[in-house]
Amino acid sequence: MAETGKESPTELLEQLFQPADGVTAKPVDDVVMIVNARDGNCFELNQPGALVWKALERGEPAAQALGAIARGSVSEVQVRHDVETLIAELLKAKLLRSRPSVRK
């Protein structure tokens, strides 16, 4: 499914994404620094955001990172909301794009 801005939150968590063309990411300690070579903007993802980014880079849906993020005092409902918001923001900033389907 292409990102149209109309995906439901659940679809965002299950969809496969990859970094957009010209976007590179580098882990630095517990965060990930993202550089968009097209416009020169830099972004920093905190530790939970870094877990989501790494899952997406591995070709996994963001939902795969929920368990690791939800450990501790944050509720799973809050984590789902935060991850959905993060993905929507990364799409809006054109840092992510849909991963092409693999046909067998």
Side-chain angles (χ1 to χ4, degrees):
M1 172 190 305
E3 65 260 23
T4 63
K6 300 187 187 303
E7 292 87 356
S8 75
T10 301
E11 287 174 334
L12 285 177
L13 291 177
E14 297 301 330
Q15 203 173 337
L16 298 179
F17 296 100
Q18 64 188 35
D21 294 335
V23 173
T24 58
K26 179 171 176 67
V28 179
D29 297 324
D30 289 340
V31 302
V32 169
M33 299 300 297
I34 301 172
V35 178
N36 185 341
R38 294 182 315 254
D39 60 17
N41 286 324
C42 297
F43 304 85
E44 179 180 320
L45 296 179
N46 61 12
Q47 187 176 17
L51 290 171
V52 171
W53 185 269
K54 290 173 187 174
L56 296 174
E57 283 187 318
R58 289 190 303 267
E60 301 170 352
Q64 293 291 321
L66 293 177
I69 297 169
R71 293 186 187 125
S73 61
V74 180
S75 75
E76 187 174 332
V77 171
Q78 183 63 50
V79 170
R80 290 182 73 82
H81 176 267
D82 292 349
V83 171
E84 292 159 358
T85 300
L86 172 63
I87 293 171
E89 289 175 1
L90 292 171
L91 287 168
K92 184 177 179 181
K94 297 185 179 359
L95 298 173
L96 284 180
R97 64 182 178 99
S98 291
R99 184 176 288 275
S101 299
V102 177
R103 295 190 178 138
K104 295 182 180 183

